Amino acid sequence: MTTLLLLQQVDPPTPSLLAPDAGLVFWVAVVFGLALFILWKYAWGPITEALDERETRIEDSMQAAEKALEEARKIQADNERARREAEQEGQRILREAREEAERLRNEEIQETRERIATLRDQAQEDIAREKQSALDDLRAEVADLAIEAAERILGEALDQSRHRKLVENMIEELPKN
Amino acid sequence: MSVTPYRTRLAGVLALALLLFVGSPASVQADSVEGDPDAIGHSANGNYLDLMPIDKVELPRLLLTRHADGLSFDVYGTTKAALESGRYVIMDGEGNVLSEAETQYAINEKKHYNFPLAAASGPGIVIDFSITRHLLAVFLAALLLMIIGLRLGARYRRGIGREEAPRGTWQNMMEVLIIFVRDEIAKPAIGGKYARYMPFLLTAFFFILIGNLLGLIPWGVTATSNLMVTGTLAGFTFVITQVSGTKDYWRHIFNPPGVPAFVKPFLVPAEFIGLFTKPLALAFRLFGNMVSGHLVIVSVIGLIFIFSAQFGAAWGAGSVLVSVPVTLFVWMLKFAISFIQAYVFTILSALFIGMALEEHEHEHHEDEPEPHEALLDQAEEYVPGDGVSTTERPTPQPTV
């Protein structure tokens, strides 16, 4: 009985780690191939595409932001320049207005001065003329008075015109003024 | 083609498989003091799920077999069902068919699924399509990857991350990885045409990463610790590389310019072999890295039982103080390696594709290395002491 039992006792051979196994290769090929195909279509494809898309968009938006910043800087610079120009323009206008006012004032003064001078000259001329005419009148009056006086004295002996001539000569001999 | 009835137990097995990774902390299997940690058996593929201490669950057998009565595709819920159908037998290591009594013993001892299966008559099994534990891990990794990928894809299609900023830790975290693959792997290694290869690189990266990480969970199975799995992934890289190959790429292999005629008979075969060694290195590197961590963890845990068996239970208990911290350390190392190896596989795939796409100027400057060569060196620096790397290191580092 024991010998029979001993005879029946068998141990399985040590399995080989390198044993070929075509069935397993087949299965793995099918499983891996299927996984590859399905994941290609529904996972890796969309994922890598999405990642690329996202990266492109991020890059684009960063470039756009940079461009916008650049533009903003340019606009700011433009504004600054425009402001400075406007300021200068204002100052120029102010200066010109001031100069114009100055000029006008000077002209006015000049004109007034000239008018005053003219008026003075005219007045002087008038005075001189009046004086002359007054002198002339006076002279005529004096002559008449003298003749009258002489006539009164001499009593109408003398010819009117001869007398006048005589008196006028006398007055001529008188010093002027 | 005859299909044997699909056992209802299969549904139960699949449900259990889903429960597989939701578990409490790993418990050390202490079925006997003598203990049989069996590091290799633990790391190897098998037609069962190890849910100890609850149970070991058999997995369905799908067999394309040429029986005496012709080719048929047989589906059984378990290996036991296949044996009981009478159409299949199990063999020992030397290929001798086990006797009726021996088979019965194996079934009673729940060892039968560890024996190689063979057809009872006729030329035998053509291809074994059985759902093995590593295949379940592959399914689970693919399922998780699909759930993660499709949910994430739906978010981007809805506009989150497209028109607006990504929301939440999860999306941001995934985006970091995706952008890492794009900017650190695809763009530098492939160049301008990188976009076409992004889906493959991303799928490979996340599939390997998830596969690696699943092995770190209690009861988890590392899909990538199977050479067939890593080999198939490398096969994808190989096919994509060759399909992408430019005229220049093929000329450099079969008629390298600027090489003396007498060198060509030596160089061309070497270049041709190089076509296949590159993906092979990929496969072995990933496999080696993932399986070695597994072996180390099981071995270190196994030390507890070896000490118990050799020197008594007290020694065994004492060795826990050393074994558990070491295991924890190796676990954390494996965690890091999970990411590193996913990265290495992906960047090397990308580099191979990039090399195939390259249009050479036919002016080789011997002294200045091409950019991808620098990247290649950098990538291989990440590989701690893998047996496949072509660069020799002066001091051997621990293989993890």
Side-chain angles (χ1 to χ4, degrees), chain B residues 7 9-10 13 47 57-61 75-84 112-113 117:
Chain B
R7 294 300 167 98
R9 195 167 170 190
L10 178 64
V13 168
N47 293 289
V57 183
E58 283 196 56
L59 292 176
R61 305 300 300 250
V75 178
Y76 300 98
T78 61
T79 308
K80 191 176 162 194
L83 291 175
E84 281 168 351
H112 57 288
Y113 42 72
L117 201 67

Side-chain angles (χ1 to χ4, degrees), chain B residues 303-327:
Chain B
L303 280 180
I304 299 170
F305 300 96
I306 292 167
F307 274 108
S308 304
Q310 290 293 109
F311 310 112
W315 274 93
S319 66
V320 168
L321 294 176
V322 180
S323 285
V324 171
V326 170
T327 307

Side-chain angles (χ1 to χ4, degrees), chain B residues 163-182:
Chain B
E163 273 109 39
E164 42 191 290
R167 266 209 297 270
T169 317
W170 178 249
Q171 193 181 3
N172 275 299
M173 222 165 68
M174 292 301 288
E175 216 184 273
V176 166
L177 290 175
I178 291 170
I179 289 176
F180 176 78
V181 171
R182 189 189 67 182

